[in-house]
């Protein structure tokens, strides 16, 4: 599962993929979307996690630039 990869690590969870594109972890009632929230292989999850981290870094850089602009305008 790479949904929370920007906050920590990639997690391995057990469960069964469903025919409708969702994945239900064992002992849980909330399902995850395959290909968005979870992946069937660690390699796919790692690629998605890297992509999510890059997007988060760019977002944080934009925030820092805006703050620096505000500070410079004072």
């Amino acid at each position: 599962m790479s949904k929370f990869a920007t906050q920590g690590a990639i997690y391995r969870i057990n469960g069964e993929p469903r025919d409708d594109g969702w994945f239900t972890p064992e002992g849980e009632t909330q399902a995850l979307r395959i290909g968005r929230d979870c992946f069937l292989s660690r390699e796919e999850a790692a690629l998605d996690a890297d992509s999510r981290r890059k997007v988060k870094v760019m977002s944080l850089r934009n925030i820092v630039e805006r703050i620096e602009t505000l500070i410079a305008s004072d």
Side-chain angles (χ1 to χ4, degrees):
M1 181 171 74
S2 66
K3 183 174 182 176
F4 303 106
T6 58
Q7 301 169 356
I10 297 171
Y11 299 100
R12 179 180 300 258
I13 53 176
N14 294 320
E16 292 296 322
R18 301 185 331 204
D19 292 333
D20 60 357
W22 290 84
F23 178 86
T24 304
E26 288 180 1
E28 297 288 328
T29 57
Q30 185 175 359
L32 302 167
R33 179 61 111 176
I34 296 173
R36 186 183 74 191
D37 302 326
C38 66
F39 297 86
L40 300 179
S41 74
R42 177 148 179 85
E43 292 78 23
E44 290 177 48
L47 288 173
D48 181 67
D50 288 341
S51 174
R52 289 176 189 252
R53 286 183 191 116
K54 287 177 185 176
V55 168
K56 185 67 173 181
V57 167
M58 291 302 298
S59 173
L60 292 173
R61 283 185 181 155
N62 289 336
I63 292 170
V64 168
E65 286 177 10
R66 286 195 306 253
I67 291 171
E68 288 173 344
T69 302
L70 287 172
I71 291 171
S73 67
D74 283 342

